[in-house]
């Protein structure tokens, strides 16, 4: 008899293989996942809503179909959770707000595709209100803790998902990213994610925007989260809805890989411990045969950040109350004056102008974005991918004060502005590029450090193949000591 923990320690591909070989039934694997959830929930608070009856019925039906040797989907019988910004039949997305939970909902596009491949979706993972923070907490469901250190955040906004993956509660997740929401949590929790090329995966059924919206929001993407690189490819091949990405593929040849190492940008702070961990990983890449070349900033990042701020603010502003936007609009004049007097790019004045950007201002930012996207083509003409940090620090202690009062403490005693969490993730997001987030080691304090492999537009398969090679040959997921 194989212990349930042995199955739960497998990645999704391993669990699917065990199901196919009938070493475990879908109902048994679901019950094992539920038991792990119950064992860890009080400490971690990762999964915040469940639909047990529907999930058990689905699992048992799949077991019967397997017994009859009927054709099943790629995820047949795999128990899965989904970030609570996606609508699921019986579990509408709350996005941390009670009134959104009290409605009927159809499956989000990404959820429907996973179900079509016979995934058993049984729970929803926690997220900050309207997915708007790099920490995961809300008044509806409370705070989700980091499985490596419960006094620290798991990241956000896909924080409950990253925690559930690291803790073995789930093997596969669907998350989203507009400001690092796929990448920051996996960096803090030591797991994997992939931010697809913008537009590759349908956003329908995600909240925000307002439930029922057909908006395919600029910058925002829907993507897979997992405990292995091969699982990212598997789920992404499903989420693209029949696109060209194969469910399985050979890993890249590291001996022919050309990787740009980007750790230096004057306007982007970076904790020395994070830098040192990525540098050590880069040496391991070299030892495996990869050509790793340090580069200065691939673009003029202050220019990109200014455009990104306008593009991002325009999206976020749509979700703000009308009264709040009207007040900000009246402050545009003084905000411009404050910027002329030296207010910084992440100041309240700068954000006021971003949240209230006119269409003409958005068009100007979009033109800058398109110019920079053309310029970075030169970098990808020389390199397969850019290896870069995700967050300027490791997972930090819970801090639920207003944004303006939050600061990040670096290991050398320096203080980093909270909004700096936007910095390193901005290149891929603003330019619509794919980025695969991978665990690269631990800090001196023993906390996970992640990095991102940023690829050219539509180069999702390339960064996933590199990540798979790294996972198989250098290092991969290591479970937290829970």
């Amino acid at each position: 008899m194989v212990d349930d923990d042995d199955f739960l320690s497998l990645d999704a591909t391993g669990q699917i293989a065990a199901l196919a070989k009938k070493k475990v039934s879908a109902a048994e694997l679901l019950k094992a996942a539920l038991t792990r959830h119950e064992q860890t929930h009080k400490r971690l608070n990762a999964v915040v809503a469940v639909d047990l009856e529907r999930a058990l019925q689905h699992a048992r039906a799949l077991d019967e179909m397997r017994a009859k040797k009927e054709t099943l989907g790629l995820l047949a019988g795999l128990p899965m959770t989904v970030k609570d910004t996606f609508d699921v039949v019986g579990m509408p997305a709350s996005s941390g707000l009670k009134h959104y939970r009290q409605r009927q909902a159809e499956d989000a596009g990404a959820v429907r595709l996973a179900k079509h491949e016979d995934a058993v979706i049984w729970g929803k993972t926690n997220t900050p209100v309207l997915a708007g923070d790099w920490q995961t907490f809300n008044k509806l469901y409370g705070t989700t803790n980091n499985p490596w250190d419960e006094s620290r955040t798991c990241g956000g906004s896909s924080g409950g998902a990253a925690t559930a993956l690291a803790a073995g509660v789930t093997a596969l997740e669907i998350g989203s990213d507009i400001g690092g929401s796929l990448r920051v949590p996996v960096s803090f929790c030591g797991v994997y994610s992939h931010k697809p090329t913008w537009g590759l995966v349908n956003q329908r059924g995600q909240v925000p925007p307002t439930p029922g919206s057909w908006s395919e929001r600029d910058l925002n993407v829907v993507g897979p989260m997992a405990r292995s690189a091969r699982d990212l490819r598997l789920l992404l091949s499903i989420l693209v809805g029949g696109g060209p990405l194969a469910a399985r593929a050979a890993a890249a040849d590291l001996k022919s890989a050309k990787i740009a190492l980007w750790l230096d940008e004057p306007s982007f702070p970076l904790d020395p411990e994070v830098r040192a961990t990525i540098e050590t990983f880069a040496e391991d890449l070299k030892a495996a045969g990869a050509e790793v070349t340090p580069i200065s900033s691939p673009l003029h990042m202050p220019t990109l950040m200014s455009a990104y701020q306008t593009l991002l603010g325009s999206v976020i502003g749509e979700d703000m109350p009308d009264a709040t936007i009207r007040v900000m609009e009246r402050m545009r004049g003084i905000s411009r004056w404050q910027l002329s007097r030296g207010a910084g790019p992440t100041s309240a004045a700068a954000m006021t102008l971003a949240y209230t950007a006119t269409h003409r201002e958005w068009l100007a930012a979009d033109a800058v974005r398109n110019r920079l996207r053309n310029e970075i083509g030169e970098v990808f003409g020389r390199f397969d991918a850019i290896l870069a940090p995700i967050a300027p620090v490791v997972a930090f202690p819970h801090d639920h004060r207003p944004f303006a009062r939050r600061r990040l403490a670096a290991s050398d005693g320096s203080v980093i502005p909270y909004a700096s969490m936007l910095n390193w993730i901005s290149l891929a997001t603003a330019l619509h590029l794919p980025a695969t987030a991978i665990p690269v080691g631990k800090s001196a304090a023993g906390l996970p450090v992640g990095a991102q492999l940023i690829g050219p537009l539509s180069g999702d398969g390339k960064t996933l193949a590199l990540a798979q090679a790294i996972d198989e040959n250098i290092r991969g997921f290591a479970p937290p000591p829970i």
Side-chain angles (χ1 to χ4, degrees):
M1 180 69 178
V2 180
D3 190 272
D4 288 344
D5 286 345
D6 291 333
F7 290 121
L8 294 180
S9 68
L10 300 173
D11 66 356
T13 299
Q15 291 185 16
I16 292 166
L19 287 161
K21 294 175 182 177
K22 299 182 181 179
K23 293 181 178 179
V24 65
S25 70
E28 289 169 340
L29 192 55
L30 172 61
K31 290 175 182 177
L34 291 168
T35 298
R36 177 68 62 85
H37 161 60
E38 291 167 358
Q39 291 169 342
T40 60
H41 180 64
K42 187 174 181 180
R43 294 168 56 191
L44 301 179
N45 192 35
V47 180
V48 291
V50 299
D51 189 350
L52 216 21
E53 184 177 350
R54 196 187 308 263
L56 279 170
Q57 287 178 350
H58 188 196
R60 287 165 179 156
L62 288 169
D63 286 334
E64 291 178 6
M65 292 171 68
R66 197 185 301 277
K68 296 176 182 177
K69 299 184 179 180
E70 296 184 24
T71 301
L72 299 175
L74 289 172
L75 304 177
L78 182 74
M80 271 185 66
T81 55
V82 174
K83 181 180 179 181
D84 195 28
T85 55
F86 294 96
D87 278 334
V88 176
V89 170
M91 294 184 289
S94 77
S95 206
L97 297 171
K98 184 178 181 180
H99 64 275
Y100 277 162
R101 186 178 61 178
Q102 298 169 334
R103 59 190 174 87
Q104 299 294 315
E106 299 178 353
D107 287 331
V111 172
R112 176 178 50 80
L113 290 167
K115 283 187 174 181
H116 180 71
E117 295 297 333
D118 294 323
V120 177
I121 296 176
W122 62 271
K124 305 293 288 295
T125 49
N126 205 17
T127 184
V129 174
L130 295 178
D133 200 349
W134 297 290
Q135 300 179 71
T136 295
F137 68 94
N138 56 67
K139 291 182 179 179
L140 179 61
Y141 291 124
T143 300
T144 301
N145 298 322
N146 191 303
W148 289 88
D149 181 344
E150 294 165 37
S151 70
R152 295 174 183 264
T153 183
C154 57
S157 63
S158 308
T163 294
L165 284 163
V169 174
T170 190
L172 212 52
E173 255 278 356
I174 301 173
S176 59
D177 189 312
I178 194 172
S181 290
L182 279 165
R183 289 163 284 169
V184 169
V186 302
S187 179
F188 286 0
C189 294
V191 289
Y192 290 80
S193 70
H194 181 73
K195 186 204 93 62
T197 296
W198 184 83
L200 190 63
V201 180
N202 184 281
Q203 298 180 35
R204 173 76 171 147
Q206 187 179 0
V207 179
T210 304
S213 172
W214 283 83
S215 174
E216 291 286 321
R217 286 186 154 182
D218 185 23
L219 306 174
N220 185 62
V221 296
V222 174
M225 302 174 69
R227 286 198 298 273
S228 70
R230 64 180 183 175
D231 285 354
L232 294 179
R233 173 182 282 275
L234 171 62
L235 183 53
L236 184 61
S237 74
I238 293 165
L239 298 183
V240 299
L245 190 75
R248 297 175 182 84
D253 179 4
L254 288 177
K255 292 182 179 179
S256 64
K258 296 181 179 180
I259 298 173
L261 176 63
W262 176 36
L263 294 174
D264 293 297
E265 164 51 46
S267 61
F268 289 3
L270 185 63
D271 188 307
E273 285 195 5
V274 174
R275 182 188 182 100
T277 304
I278 298 176
E279 286 176 333
T280 298
F281 171 71
E283 290 301 317
D284 293 341
L285 269 177
K286 289 181 184 179
E291 182 180 314
V292 181
T293 306
I295 63 168
S296 57
S297 293
L299 297 170
H300 186 254
M301 294 310 294
T303 299
L304 182 138
M305 284 300 297
S306 178
Y308 176 41
Q309 193 168 49
T310 298
L311 297 169
L312 179 62
S314 299
V315 175
I316 295 174
E318 184 185 356
D319 299 322
M320 291 182 168
D322 291 342
T324 301
I325 293 296
R326 285 195 295 269
V327 170
M328 287 186 176
E329 287 173 340
R330 291 195 292 269
M331 295 174 62
R332 283 176 61 86
I334 192 170
S335 295
R336 288 196 190 93
W337 179 82
Q338 289 171 333
L339 287 175
S340 71
R341 302 289 290 182
T346 60
S347 64
M351 296 312 301
T352 294
L353 292 176
Y355 292 142
T356 60
T358 65
H359 186 53
R360 187 172 183 176
E361 290 166 343
W362 186 92
L363 288 172
D366 185 48
V368 171
R369 184 238 306 270
N370 288 326
R371 172 173 63 81
L372 295 176
R373 190 159 57 197
N374 179 68
E375 288 180 12
I376 205 168
E378 186 274 333
V379 178
F380 290 119
R382 294 185 290 128
F383 299 104
D384 298 314
I386 299 170
L387 176 66
I390 294 170
V393 293
V394 294
F396 50 87
H398 297 295
D399 184 355
H400 298 173
R401 295 175 297 175
F403 271 42
R405 295 177 58 194
R406 299 181 193 175
R407 300 289 185 275
L408 304 173
S411 61
D412 61 358
S414 61
V415 176
I416 298 174
Y418 192 66
S420 296
M421 293 291 295
L422 274 177
N423 287 344
W424 293 101
I425 59 88
S426 63
L427 181 69
T429 301
L431 302 187
H432 292 168
L433 305 176
T436 305
I438 60 174
V440 298
K442 303 291 188 300
S443 70
L447 294 170
V449 174
Q452 54 186 330
L453 291 162
I454 303 169
L457 200 66
S458 301
D460 300 76
K462 181 175 289 188
T463 62
L464 287 167
L466 283 169
Q468 185 174 334
I470 291 165
D471 189 2
E472 294 175 358
N473 297 287
I474 300 177
R475 66 173 59 87
F477 168 73
I482 57 170

